[in-house]
Amino acid sequence: MLTLHDVTYAYRLGQRDIPILSGCSWTFEAGSFTAICAPSGSGKSTLLNILGLLDRPTRGTYLLNGQDTSQLGDRAQSALRARTLGFLFQNFRLVPDLSVQANVALALEIAGWPARDRAARACDLLEQVGLAERLQHFPPELSGGEAQRVALARALAPRPQVLLADEPTGNLDPANRERILALLSAFHADGGTLVMVTHDAAAARAASHQVTLQGGQVQPLAQAPVAAPVAVGEALV
Ligand SMILES: Nc1ncnc2c1ncn2[C@@H]1O[C@H](COP(=O)(O)OP(=O)(O)OP(=O)(O)O)[C@@H](O)[C@H]1O
């Protein structure tokens, strides 16, 4: 369970503070699947960075599985992140001079998987995202959609309790988009907690909860997406 309590976050620009989150309180229940649908610049990535222990709130508390993360030093936060969280970044952040398979294996190493299991597990996940033919390729040789699928394989491989996904279907064609949504739904069905930033209405409908960011706070989405079919790539906000 991820709980934000009265969280404020501001970027420092010169002498000025730019407030992004402001008195934000919200609980993402264990096993829930939440879609965050909000306009560009509203603070979605900032929120994911806090949930992912990549940034600390300026004020307020963030509890991860009941533990107050503000009490943890940087090393303890990194260890907790490696044990608990998977992160699919908007710009993927693959290591350019490691092969696709080695990128996924590296995530397994960081999460403490034994060396003998890493290559097979990486292979399995890359097959599931449709990249069995690309194991020995390097990130600069991949299309945007392929890099995105490697990033998802890397995030899911260590079997995290929580997956934080920033626009996971953004660069994909319809077939791959369906494949990725099926993988995300399977992660949720297996009990995983999923927080997904998306502008894609159909992806948002796969979630159990839809929220937005307004005035620096998480709010329930006023008009939950209806169950009617939506064209692939239709924008929600
Ligand atoms: N390092 C930074 N320094 C100063 N301002 C920043 C920094 N990073 C982000 N911002 C600003 O904070 C605001 C929120 O950014 P954030 O990336 O969280 O928004 P977002 O909702 O994820 O946007 P998008 O949908 O376009 O990715 C934006 O106005 C952005 O310009």
Side-chain angles (χ1 to χ4, degrees), residues 1-4 26-36 48 51-52 62-66 81 83-88 152 155-156 159-166 168 183-197 206-209:
M1 179 158 89
L2 318 177
T3 304
L4 300 168
W26 193 262
T27 294
F28 299 87
E29 298 288 352
S32 62
F33 178 1
T34 306
I36 303 175
L48 279 198
L51 295 175
Y62 168 36
L63 303 171
L64 177 53
N65 292 336
R81 183 165 61 240
R83 270 202 317 276
T84 315
L85 302 170
F87 216 119
L88 175 59
L152 180 62
L156 288 175
R159 298 199 175 97
Q161 286 175 28
V162 179
L163 178 65
L164 304 167
D166 207 343
L183 272 172
L184 294 176
S185 294
F187 173 79
H188 175 226
D190 284 348
T193 306
L194 178 48
V195 181
M196 170 181 74
V197 165
S208 57
H209 300 79

Side-chain angles (χ1 to χ4, degrees), residues 23-52:
C24 177
S25 296
W26 193 262
T27 294
F28 299 87
E29 298 288 352
S32 62
F33 178 1
T34 306
I36 303 175
C37 315
S40 180
S42 57
K44 303 180 297 295
S45 300
T46 303
L47 175 64
L48 279 198
N49 285 344
I50 290 173
L51 295 175

